[in-house]
Amino acid sequence: MAELGLSYKKDENFGEWYRQVLLRADMIGYTDISGCYIIRHWAMKIWENMKAFFEAETDEMEIESCTYPLFVTRDSLEREKSHIEGFAPEVAWVTEAGKSELKVPVAIRPTSEAIMYPDFSKRIRSHLDLPYKQNQWVNVVRWESNPTPFIRSKEFLWQEGHTAFATKEEADHEVQEMLELYRKIYEEYLAVPVVKGQKTELEKFAGALYTTSVEAFIPNAGRGIQGATSHCLGQNFAKMFDVKFENEMQEKAMVWQNSWAYTTRTIGVMVMVHGDDRGLVMPPKVATLQAIVIPVIYRDVDTEAILEACRKTVVTLKKAGFRVKADLSRTSTPGQKYWHWEMKGVPLRIEIGQRDLDKNQVRFVRRDNSEKVDIPLNNNLVERVKDTLDRIQQNMFDVARERRDACIQVARTWEEFMEALNQKKMILAPWCDEMDVEEDVKKRTKGEGEMGAAKSLCTPFEQPELPEGTLCFASGKPARKWTYWGRTY
Amino acid sequence: MVVSLRLPSLSSLFSPSISRRYPSVLRRRHHLRPPPSSASFSAQSTAPATDVVDSRKSNQKVQDGGVTPRSQDFNAWYLDVIANAELADYGPVRGTMVIRPYGYAIWEAIQDYLNVKFKETGHSNMYFPQLIPYSFIEKEASHVEGFSPELALVTIGGGKELEEKLVVRPTSETIVNHMFTQWIHSYRDLPLMVNQWANVTRWEMRTKPFVRTLEFLWQEGHTAHATPEEAEKEAIQMIDVYTKFAYEEAAIPVIAGRKSKVETFAGAVRTYTIEAMMGDRKALQAGTSHNLGQNFSRAFGTLFTDESGQRQHVWQTSWAVSTRFVGGIIMTHGDDTGLMLPPKIAPIQVVIVPIWKKEDDKAGVLNAASSVKDALHTAGIKVKLDDTDQRTPGWKFNFWEMKGVPLRIEIGPRDVSSQSVVVCRRDVPGKQGKVFGISMEPSILEAYIKDKLDEIQSSLLGQATSFRDGNIVDVSSYDELKVAISQGKWARGPWSASDKDELKVKEETGATIRCFPFDQPHGIKTCLMTSNPAEEVAIFAKSY
């Protein structure tokens, strides 16, 4: 165990701080290929905890698990034109296999529409086969030139759901249902506030009819980040891949399709939002470990009795379903242990020392606000742990929301917009909803600073009032909606 | 009759695309088409009452969705079962496979069991990248030699030719070692025990769903230890976990043992294996656990400082089970009618088929069926109620039999009035497997069903075990071995001959050494090939 603290401060050098937290908390490993990372146990378990929630929900919705192949033929991939245009620059091609050159290279999936829909076309025959709902948990590869662990990597893990319906209404309804699940993952599990909304024409998924998303904001970076997306694909892919069904009148019709996904990016967002200068802070509901029990042993105390109390505490809490362990190693001091488990972001520390044994109590120390409380041991330890973890979860969300809200700035003119952008804000602005105007905004902000161009994040479903005569902040034309803007990851 | 029965299967032999589409077309559109044969059951709405009664009393087979009898053509049966039971389909890139929900649920049952065992034995899950620099693969000489004919290489990424070719992982020992080198410093960091659930790619020329595909899913465990004894103990521990899973969950009586030098994993010191006998008596390697010694740690410089301050190379293991195991389950337990799943890994353990003739009876029957379903579901049994009125009961019986569901519950109007159900076992065909008058009372029914599921589980293992034992022949000479192999059996005999002799057996008979079983007979033995003293018996067989 290399006993090193963080040499970077979150507020001073955010990028380096982030990389250091991931390494010191044993979440990531680097490889010789830039942009390909190892997801270590400490992060993998967070992914598994989210998956347990999400799978229970999708089971309830009768969405079936399955796995489609990793490889896709060039022909399939190029079937939907705007789709391949969106993905072409990021595709990795296998050109050699089994010691010889392939006649036709095959691509590693950047996403699976082009792999799954030829099969949908075979499976779906009549209205009785609909809705048809499939989900898979797999890896995908996109050749990113500017990688950041979890946030943007060449290979990442995700779930991708693909569904087909007889009517647009059903598809529309499911888009919202899935988006709500993603909101829950972010807000109720990762304790990260998000905005639900629709992507602009320019930012929607390549080939979709429309894209909805949950958008988070990283105050330290002054950047928005797309948290997860739920797309209505309309009938674009159905046409290209010939996904037809016979309706109740025995006429042929095209299906309406959706696809929706969230990725290991969630973990990166969690780290960026909650971490502090002492390291990672994990929200209890997804935490790899929810509580760490540490014996406080100094000279002249009954060591064995303390260790025994620690073991008993772990057994009690494990039985109650908590993810908990005791750090009983003799080579580190209690202080070193506190430091170590704070770095790893365990939400609750339970200290047991001689003083506690004497008073029949334990000490709780919260990772999120460092609050220390002595808890008398009268049979309600389980309840107190549950209660404390709930309060940590809620407090982490409240604090994160407060910080996020402080970053939101309304801008009605270009000057206000630029000023807010330079202050790293998440900007809510009235605009005309025209694609060239958004392209123009990107162009005009590109030269500003080193942070890259601003773009739209989403048009929130919850729209503030837009009085008649309000003008677009960028074009001066009549505004049609309020949309969030900012620099993004 | 016979002709119509054989037609779909025959065409499947010649035209894979038809074989894949035919059953789904039939199933999905049956209600729009005339029944394929007059002897089969017509649609519910027009079904004469006698048809329904017939279906419960006779053991008549319906043609549509039927599979080639297993006894007739094992391979055609296997492919038919995969297609008709909706386990898998072919992907657009040759040799790849779509694992469909019903097949994937079997894989999930394997995952659920093993994941718990891995964690109990001290392993943590994590994820290594899929792409590996080509130079890594070259570091361990025998490893690259073993894998290079099967590697898929990425040479273009982001629209540009890559400076170094990247390998799509065929297995992860190399990248694991690269990382272990950075994570392991002293004996305090050992043992390091990790596992990942991932996909791997091996560019196979001859593929078969689940058994051999270009891409497959697996778990791969990788561990590093301070001593050779610990590594050996770990390798044995994990093959034991696999063995236990095979027997207790999959009802497959595998033979656990050690691979010969020729068959040892590329880069390992010793490979342990579990070998299963399929229904056609070919062997299937169903899981392996490798003691890697210091081969990879030397190639990658994976060192640790021991308690006396000396720098040493770590001792390693790796072990894996893949989606191939699903193929093993299919090929162990099926029969002429189709798939037969052991209750412990069956995605659906009990299917309920409600039966009604008159519209008046429908509500009562469906009500009863649905409360039986709820009671079993609450008791933790994986139950499905097939209440569609698009299909006749007879069609449903055949369909769920073909899908291998261990138990079927039938509920008709008479059962409703007597508050009882009919329970049919998938593994005991016809009347013998059928018991009338089991009470609907939840506590009685639940206990009965659980009991039957246990019985089926052990009965399947029992059948597979006697099949296996009836097809292993003890041989003491090469001639006897040749006879046994030519009869399609496994040959077990003392072996201490050379690698060259082993290859000769392979060339001349097509059989390889599957393993030196852990279970060895006592006494002095002489090698079947050379007549020299032999310490162990080996098992020879043709394999997948």
Side-chain angles (χ1 to χ4, degrees), chain B residues 48-98:
Chain B
T50 49
D51 265 12
V52 175
V53 175
D54 269 2
S55 68
R56 292 186 66 174
K57 288 192 174 158
S58 72
N59 196 28
Q60 201 175 4
K61 286 285 162 276
V62 183
Q63 285 73 34
D64 74 331
V67 298
T68 308
R70 190 172 108 139
S71 47
Q72 191 177 306
D73 182 339
F74 192 81
N75 190 48
W77 170 86
Y78 180 72
L79 296 175
D80 281 355
V81 164
I82 300 252
N84 293 15
E86 303 172 311
L87 294 163
D89 204 341
Y90 297 98
V93 174
R94 187 196 55 80
T96 62
M97 170 179 67
V98 177

Side-chain angles (χ1 to χ4, degrees), chain A residues 1 28-33 36-42 44-45 48 51 55 64-73 76 88-99 102 106 108-109 114-115 118-119 121-129 132 134 137 139-141 143 154-157 246 250 252 331, chain B residues 20-21 24-25 27-29 31-32 88-93 96-102 104-105 108 111 115 119 124-133 135-136 148-159 162 165-166 168-169 175 178-179 182-183 188-189 192 197 199 201 203 205 214-215 217 390:
Chain A
M1 203 187 295
I28 210 105
Y30 288 90
T31 70
D32 279 14
I33 304 173
C36 287
Y37 307 100
I38 289 157
I39 304 174
R40 301 187 66 183
H41 168 65
W42 203 252
M44 196 66 193
K45 185 70 189 170
E48 290 176 350
K51 183 177 173 185
E55 269 204 320
E64 300 180 310
S65 317
C66 57
T67 295
Y68 281 78
L70 173 71
F71 297 112
V72 51
T73 56
S76 257
E90 299 180 351
V91 172
W93 293 96
V94 174
T95 61
E96 292 174 35
K99 281 188 164 165
L102 294 177
V106 298
I108 299 182
R109 64 179 160 224
I115 304 172
D119 187 57
S121 154
K122 282 194 283 182
R123 298 282 158 236
I124 297 169
R125 302 271 150 194
S126 91
H127 63 98
L128 294 174
D129 301 322
Y132 191 70
Q134 308 270 301
W137 296 86
N139 63 333
V140 288
V141 171
W143 220 258
K154 286 202 174 93
E155 182 195 6
F156 56 88
L157 305 183
E246 206 162 57
Q250 308 204 353
K252 284 277 178 199
T331 46
Chain B
R20 295 204 308 272
R21 297 185 68 131
S24 72
V25 169
R27 266 201 327 280
R28 306 267 186 215
R29 303 189 54 203
H31 59 289
L32 302 170
D89 204 341
Y90 297 98
V93 174
T96 62
M97 170 179 67
V98 177
I99 306 178
R100 301 183 63 191
Y102 198 62
Y104 198 74
E108 285 180 322
Q111 287 186 305
N115 227 351
K119 287 179 183 177
S124 301
N125 279 342
M126 56 181 297
Y127 187 76
F128 289 90
Q130 178 174 39
L131 299 174
I132 302 174
S135 57
F136 281 28
S148 68
E150 300 179 352
L151 296 179
L153 301 176
V154 175
T155 61
I156 299 173
L162 302 176
K165 291 175 185 176
L166 303 176
V168 184
R169 71 177 153 230
I175 194 156
H178 178 77
M179 298 319 301
Q182 298 170 34
W183 298 338
R188 279 185 299 267
D189 302 320
L192 183 55
W197 294 91
N199 57 345
T201 298
W203 217 262
M205 282 300 134
L214 286 198
E215 182 204 5
L217 306 184
Q390 307 288 330

Side-chain angles (χ1 to χ4, degrees), chain B residues 86-323:
Chain B
E86 303 172 311
L87 294 163
D89 204 341
Y90 297 98
V93 174
R94 187 196 55 80
T96 62
M97 170 179 67
V98 177
I99 306 178
R100 301 183 63 191
Y102 198 62
Y104 198 74
I106 298 175
W107 178 237
E108 285 180 322
I110 296 173
Q111 287 186 305
D112 288 346
Y113 175 92
L114 289 180
N115 227 351
V116 170
K117 295 293 162 199
F118 294 162
K119 287 179 183 177
E120 274 174 18
T121 43
H123 305 91
S124 301
N125 279 342
M126 56 181 297
Y127 187 76
F128 289 90
Q130 178 174 39
L131 299 174
I132 302 174
Y134 189 75
S135 57
F136 281 28
I137 301 282
E138 286 176 312
K139 282 193 185 176
E140 214 287 334
S142 57
H143 192 62
V144 66
E145 203 189 307
F147 278 103
S148 68
E150 300 179 352
L151 296 179
L153 301 176
V154 175
T155 61
I156 299 173
K160 276 184 287 200
E161 188 114 349
L162 302 176
E163 275 171 32
E164 182 180 3
K165 291 175 185 176
L166 303 176
V167 176
V168 184
R169 71 177 153 230
T171 179
S172 303
E173 277 76 7
T174 57
I175 194 156
V176 165
N177 264 275
H178 178 77
M179 298 319 301
F180 276 17
T181 304
Q182 298 170 34
W183 298 338
I184 297 170
H185 304 287
S186 84
Y187 67 95
R188 279 185 299 267
D189 302 320
L190 297 175
L192 183 55
M193 310 207 287
V194 299
N195 175 65
Q196 75 168 343
W197 294 91
N199 57 345
V200 285
T201 298
R202 296 179 188 176
W203 217 262
E204 303 277 1
M205 282 300 134
R206 291 165 62 193
T207 58
K208 188 182 176 94
F210 290 115
V211 172
R212 180 165 281 127
T213 47
L214 286 198
E215 182 204 5
F216 56 91
L217 306 184
W218 76 352
Q219 61 65 216
E220 50 180 323
H222 296 274
T223 67
H225 306 265
T227 66
E229 293 77 22
E230 277 178 63
E232 177 65 12
K233 205 173 137 200
E234 165 79 2
I236 295 279
Q237 166 178 265
M238 297 326 286
I239 205 71
D240 285 349
V241 167
Y242 293 156
T243 308
K244 206 160 172 236
F245 170 75
Y247 274 86
E248 292 178 8
E249 303 288 311
I252 301 180
V254 293
I255 293 184
R258 190 188 78 249
K259 284 283 181 194
S260 69
K261 222 171 86 207
V262 174
E263 298 284 330
T264 292
F265 173 73
V269 173
R270 263 187 303 282
T271 291
Y272 299 111
T273 177
I274 50 173
E275 298 287 327
M277 185 185 284
M278 301 294 98
D280 60 354
R281 297 179 296 185
K282 272 167 118 172
L284 184 84
Q285 177 180 303
T288 49
S289 177
H290 314 291
N291 181 338
L292 303 174
Q294 294 179 315
N295 289 344
F296 285 91
S297 62
R298 284 181 191 280
F300 283 85
T302 317
L303 292 153
F304 74 102
T305 309
D306 69 15
E307 286 183 59
S308 58
Q310 302 291 312
R311 296 288 281 165
Q312 287 199 40
H313 288 101
V314 298
W315 301 84
Q316 293 181 277
T317 77
S318 68
W319 27 275
V321 154
S322 74
T323 36

Side-chain angles (χ1 to χ4, degrees), chain A residues 77-285:
Chain A
L77 195 61
E78 290 174 351
R79 198 88 58 89
E80 217 289 340
K81 221 168 156 224
S82 56
H83 188 58
I84 183 64
E85 274 170 14
F87 280 104
E90 299 180 351
V91 172
W93 293 96
V94 174
T95 61
E96 292 174 35
K99 281 188 164 165
S100 58
E101 204 140 309
L102 294 177
K103 277 190 202 117
V104 188
V106 298
I108 299 182
R109 64 179 160 224
T111 177
S112 300
E113 280 77 3
I115 304 172
M116 295 172 85
Y117 301 163
D119 187 57
F120 276 35
S121 154
K122 282 194 283 182
R123 298 282 158 236
I124 297 169
R125 302 271 150 194
S126 91
H127 63 98
L128 294 174
D129 301 322
L130 297 176
Y132 191 70
K133 307 199 266 190
Q134 308 270 301
N135 180 55
Q136 64 176 0
W137 296 86
V138 295
N139 63 333
V140 288
V141 171
R142 296 180 188 175
W143 220 258
E144 301 282 358
S145 50
N146 205 354
T148 305
F150 291 121
I151 300 296
R152 194 173 282 282
S153 51
K154 286 202 174 93
E155 182 195 6
F156 56 88
L157 305 183
W158 74 352
Q159 62 65 221
E160 51 176 325
H162 295 265
T163 54
F165 300 89
T167 63
K168 180 164 187 294
E169 289 68 38
E170 288 171 272
D172 286 339
H173 178 73
E174 194 210 46
V175 165
Q176 294 298 333
E177 253 184 328
M178 299 321 297
L179 195 65
E180 175 59 14
L181 280 189
Y182 294 143
R183 184 199 65 78
K184 279 189 178 160
I185 285 192
Y186 273 95
E187 297 199 333
E188 295 175 14
Y189 282 75
L190 299 166
V192 171
V194 289
V195 174
K196 280 162 89 168
Q198 185 160 337
K199 287 283 186 186
T200 62
E201 277 304 294
L202 195 63
E203 291 295 323
K204 75 179 186 186
F205 177 68
L209 181 61
Y210 65 88
T211 290
T212 67
S213 69
V214 290
E215 300 284 331
F217 194 78
I218 311 294
N220 290 78
R223 290 179 191 272
I225 185 160
Q226 178 177 295
T229 48
S230 178
H231 314 289
C232 179
L233 304 178
Q235 296 179 314
N236 296 341
F237 286 90
K239 280 178 198 137
M240 294 307 146
F241 290 97
D242 195 30
V243 190
K244 282 192 288 224
F245 72 103
E246 206 162 57
N247 66 20
E248 288 175 53
M249 338 275 278
Q250 308 204 353
E251 298 156 347
K252 284 277 178 199
M254 293 283 169
V255 298
W256 293 86
Q257 289 178 278
N258 291 342
S259 71
W260 27 269
Y262 81 90
T263 75
T264 35
R265 170 179 274 198
T266 43
I267 300 169
V269 174
M270 179 203 87
V271 175
M272 288 182 162
V273 168
H274 299 301
D276 63 19
D277 289 345
R278 285 180 292 149
L280 182 65
V281 185
M282 294 187 288
K285 278 170 93 168

